Amino acid sequence: MSIAALGRSAGESVRRSVAGLPREFWWLWTSTLVNRLGAFVTTFMALYLTVERGYSASYAGLVAALHGLGGVVSAVGAGVMTDRLGRRPTLLIAQSSTAASVALLGFVQDPVGIAAVACLVGMTSNASRPAVQAMMADIVKPEDRVRAFSLNYWAINLGFAVSAGVAGFIAEYSYLAGFLGEAALTLACAVLIYVKLPESRPERVLVDGRSAPETGMGTVLRDGRFMGVVGLSFVVALIFQQAFVGLPVAMGADGFSSSDFGMVIAFNGVLIVALQIPVTRFIEHRDTRRLLILSSALAGYGFGLTAFAGSLALYVLAVCVWTLAEIVNAPTQTSLVVRLSPVDGRGRYQGMYTMSWAVAGLVAPLMAGFLIDHYGADWLWGVCAVLGSVAAGGYWLLMRALPADEADLGVVVDGNAADANGVDGNGADGNAEDANGAVRSGPDKGAEPVADAVVPGRAAVSGEATERL
């Protein structure tokens, strides 16, 4: 095949990947890309504190932990705000607050003040994630959600890849310029959201003079299937976090330099940017169960391969294996969370899911430090392999009753159609939504029907909703 033919084939693949998504999605996608282009604080915080300010590595670790703690605290609160205030107000508050706190961090010099503001930055920057994911679920049709979440994840990595290189040059000139640059880009995201994105939260409408009770955090915590997914996502997150926690320490202990680590970890970003779209075309209509089981096992064994790495080539091979797992796992798992979420509780459900990754960000460094210090790096990679196997088995047990994805993704099966939200049943609670958008509650909820307002990009369906989850 000629180069021109390959180019046409690649172009056609890209066109198919981006076709059919609503305009609102692309504005949200653009805001994600712009926001990640300004990711200066998370990339250079440690260097800023140790090189620019002269603080110890222990203090830098404490500040990083407080930054992560802020994300844990805000995840659930932001989810509640997303459902109560709306997606758009939550995004505006989160992005504006992030811009202000990042700019403030560039000027604070007192060590206690730096730690406090870093915690605030972690809270505000993490607060936008439940709103972004809930809004994306609102405006994208069920059969397109895996593709939409994949494209958004691609934007995150593309923005980070570009910002990491540019921010390095900025840091050599002025760290303050980096902080102010991130603040400016984050504020630009807030303005973009305000101008281009309408509120997408489904309206709660009275039916027969009564309204259903609001989905509360108690409902989320009692949803056994969903909380099982949250627990498994935490296990998977512990594995992936080792890319930036255990891997650099292990490579340093093997005598490799920081530039060697930078070169190796760069393959992660390059592969995601290069493969995310074509891989998504391959997986978007495939069985969710198999994808999660495969990606969890592949993540564990990919990091497990690091135990045998004695050269840069073998480290790169290990990175390629777990990066493929990441490409498959991220959009698939986020889409599953949407399908398990009731319409009026998407923010809370996404907040709880986001918290699982934030908590993993706190636990992973402790786990890596303990295992490496007491038993050696090979034990860490062995534990990662075990965790991957546990997660794969957990997904198999949790989702063994889940039918084929043709039903879950809104495709007509045997004359029936899935609902416009992609959620016909909600775990143990038994919620289902009919073709007209009315929520039918199972015996556990005892709620009356509530109409779900039509929003841009929602699918229109006919027939009864099929029971899935």
Side-chain angles (χ1 to χ4, degrees), residues 11 33 37 150 221 251 256 277-278 291 313 324 327 341 361 364 396 467:
L33 178 62
L37 285 171
S150 180
L221 296 173
M251 289 187 67
F256 294 101
I277 292 177
L291 293 175
L324 182 60
I327 290 171
S341 308
W396 180 81
E467 190 74 22

Side-chain angles (χ1 to χ4, degrees), residues 6-31:
L6 285 173
R8 287 193 297 271
S9 177
E12 180 62 26
S13 177
V14 171
R15 283 192 293 273
R16 289 198 303 267
S17 297
V18 303
L21 294 171
R23 181 181 61 182
E24 291 81 4
F25 165 79
W26 290 111
W27 285 117
L28 194 60
W29 182 90
T30 302
S31 72

Side-chain angles (χ1 to χ4, degrees), residues 284-369:
E284 64 177 325
H285 296 302
R286 297 185 182 274
D287 193 334
T288 298
R289 298 164 297 188
R290 294 179 181 177
L291 293 175
L292 290 174
I293 291 169
L294 174 63
S295 62
S296 299
L298 205 58
Y301 301 149
F303 277 94
L305 281 175
T306 312
F308 304 98
S311 66
L312 287 178
L314 289 177
Y315 275 113
V316 169
L317 174 62
V319 168
C320 290
V321 172
W322 59 256
T323 296
L324 182 60
E326 184 181 359
I327 290 171
V328 174
N329 183 272
T332 305
Q333 190 158 248
T334 306
S335 180
L336 174 64
V337 171
V338 173
R339 295 205 299 274
L340 290 172
S341 308
V343 177
D344 68 334
R346 280 180 178 154
R348 290 175 172 85
Y349 274 67
Q350 290 290 351
M352 183 63 69
Y353 169 66
T354 299
M355 189 180 72
S356 70
W357 282 80
V359 174
L362 286 177
V363 175
L366 301 176
M367 181 182 83

Side-chain angles (χ1 to χ4, degrees), residues 91-449:
L91 282 171
L92 286 171
I93 293 170
Q95 298 283 18
S96 301
S97 301
T98 300
S101 58
V102 166
L104 178 61
L105 185 61
F107 291 99
V108 177
Q109 298 187 18
D110 179 74
V112 176
I114 290 175
V117 176
C119 184
L120 179 63
V121 171
M123 291 178 64
T124 56
S125 61
N126 202 50
S128 62
R129 293 182 183 179
V132 168
Q133 292 164 344
M135 180 175 277
M136 203 167 292
D138 295 337
I139 64 181
V140 176
K141 294 184 293 186
E143 61 267 29
D144 292 331
R145 285 191 186 131
V146 170
R147 182 159 53 102
F149 284 122
S150 180
L151 287 168
N152 193 63
Y153 191 68
W154 183 77
I156 291 172
N157 284 277
L158 177 62
F160 180 78
V162 174
S163 70
V166 175
F169 290 104
I170 294 175
E172 291 184 1
Y173 169 72
S174 170
Y175 279 94
L176 178 60
F179 285 112
L180 295 179
E182 177 171 347
L185 285 173
T186 305
L187 188 60
C189 286
V191 173
L192 182 65
I193 289 166
Y194 179 79
V195 173
K196 294 294 185 180
L197 289 175
E199 177 56 57
S200 67
R201 181 181 59 172
E203 297 290 339
R204 296 177 60 83
V205 182
L206 292 176
V207 177
D208 296 331
R210 290 179 292 180
S211 63
E214 183 181 80
T215 299
M217 286 307 301
T219 304
V220 179
L221 296 173
R222 289 192 299 271
D223 189 337
R225 187 188 297 276
F226 172 73
M227 291 306 297
V229 170
V230 169
L232 292 172
S233 73
F234 167 75
V235 174
V236 172
L238 278 179
I239 300 173
F240 284 124
Q241 290 284 349
Q242 299 308 324
F244 302 96
V245 178
L247 183 59
V249 175
M251 289 187 67
D254 285 344
F256 294 101
S257 66
S258 57
S259 61
D260 290 331
F261 168 73
M263 187 273 290
V264 168
I265 202 63
F267 276 85
N268 173 248
V270 170
L271 286 175
I272 290 175
V273 172
L275 298 180
Q276 187 74 63
I277 292 177
V279 169
T280 298
R281 293 290 303 172
F282 179 75
I283 70 171
E284 64 177 325
H285 296 302
R286 297 185 182 274
D287 193 334
T288 298
R289 298 164 297 188
R290 294 179 181 177
L291 293 175
L292 290 174
I293 291 169
L294 174 63
S295 62
S296 299
L298 205 58
Y301 301 149
F303 277 94
L305 281 175
T306 312
F308 304 98
S311 66
L312 287 178
L314 289 177
Y315 275 113
V316 169
L317 174 62
V319 168
C320 290
V321 172
W322 59 256
T323 296
L324 182 60
E326 184 181 359
I327 290 171
V328 174
N329 183 272
T332 305
Q333 190 158 248
T334 306
S335 180
L336 174 64
V337 171
V338 173
R339 295 205 299 274
L340 290 172
S341 308
V343 177
D344 68 334
R346 280 180 178 154
R348 290 175 172 85
Y349 274 67
Q350 290 290 351
M352 183 63 69
Y353 169 66
T354 299
M355 189 180 72
S356 70
W357 282 80
V359 174
L362 286 177
V363 175
L366 301 176
M367 181 182 83
F370 176 81
L371 290 174
I372 291 175
D373 287 343
H374 290 81
Y375 303 103
D378 287 351
W379 272 82
L380 174 63
W381 310 129
V383 168
C384 285
V386 171
L387 290 176
S389 300
V390 169
Y395 278 119
W396 180 81
L397 290 172
L398 191 67
M399 302 174 67
R400 63 186 185 277
L402 187 68
D405 267 13
E406 283 76 17
D408 339 338
L409 293 175
V411 179
V412 175
V413 179
D414 298 330
N416 294 326
D419 71 288
N421 293 302
V423 184
D424 297 308
N426 179 38
D429 295 328
N431 282 345
E433 186 178 35
D434 66 20
N436 296 317
V439 175
R440 302 192 307 275
S441 291
D444 294 342
K445 292 275 179 89
E448 294 296 323

